[in-house]
Amino acid sequence: MLDDKDALDDVKEILGCTSNVKQYKKSGKYRWYLSISDTSIIKTVRKVFEDDCYRKTFSLKFPKIPNKNSLIMFLRGFFDGDGSFAKSAIDGFYNFKIFCASKLFIKELYKKLIDIVHDGV
């Protein structure tokens, strides 16, 4: 669900999806969504997240991403979509905020970030 229809149109084109981008109104604001029902995409998402992704708000698990470069790209996308990352007023320090209700996801995210920092990436 997005405020920007153009982004979903781009996703639709990239995936070759035949579904329509649909509009709905929430809290007086128009939003857009794209429903994807392609079986192969659904199977891939379930495989990455290891289980059912429905009603995941409080139970989402961190995905298994064995390749470090892919993990870093996933983290970039996660922070871009569900958080923020900014340089602190104190030199050499950074602040980040994340928005996620799943404690399982956050705990594993923390472990992955610590691993990346200790590996010097």
Side-chain angles (χ1 to χ4, degrees):
M1 295 175 275
L2 292 174
D3 298 334
D4 183 5
K5 180 180 182 287
D6 293 337
L8 289 176
D9 284 332
D10 290 344
V11 169
K12 177 182 171 179
E13 184 177 333
I14 290 166
L15 296 177
C17 184
T18 58
S19 301
N20 292 321
V21 176
K22 297 179 182 174
Q23 183 183 51
Y24 70 99
K25 193 171 184 179
K26 181 177 181 182
S27 302
K29 188 173 185 178
Y30 285 102
R31 306 244 174 182
W32 302 91
Y33 73 95
L34 175 64
S35 177
I36 300 173
S37 58
D38 182 281
T39 308
S40 60
I41 293 174
I42 293 168
K43 285 180 183 177
T44 300
V45 169
R46 284 185 175 163
K47 183 178 178 184
V48 168
F49 286 98
E50 293 189 317
D51 59 14
D52 221 359
C53 293
Y54 301 106
R55 297 189 174 107
K56 66 190 180 328
T57 300
F58 298 103
S59 63
L60 180 67
K61 294 179 186 174
F62 197 89
K64 290 219 183 252
I65 304 173
N67 179 296
K68 186 177 280 187
N69 289 332
S70 296
L71 173 63
I72 290 168
M73 296 309 291
F74 171 81
L75 293 172
R76 280 184 71 187
F78 176 77
F79 279 104
D80 187 39
D82 291 320
S84 64
F85 189 83
K87 188 169 183 173
S88 169
I90 302 169
D91 249 356
F93 288 89
Y94 293 86
N95 295 319
F96 67 89
K97 298 176 185 176
I98 53 174
F99 305 94
C100 181
S102 170
K103 289 180 183 178
L104 292 170
F105 187 95
I106 297 301
K107 285 179 182 180
E108 190 61 26
L109 172 65
Y110 176 78
K111 288 178 191 175
K112 296 293 184 189
L113 291 172
I114 293 299
D115 289 345
I116 289 170
V117 169
H118 287 298
D119 287 346
V121 175

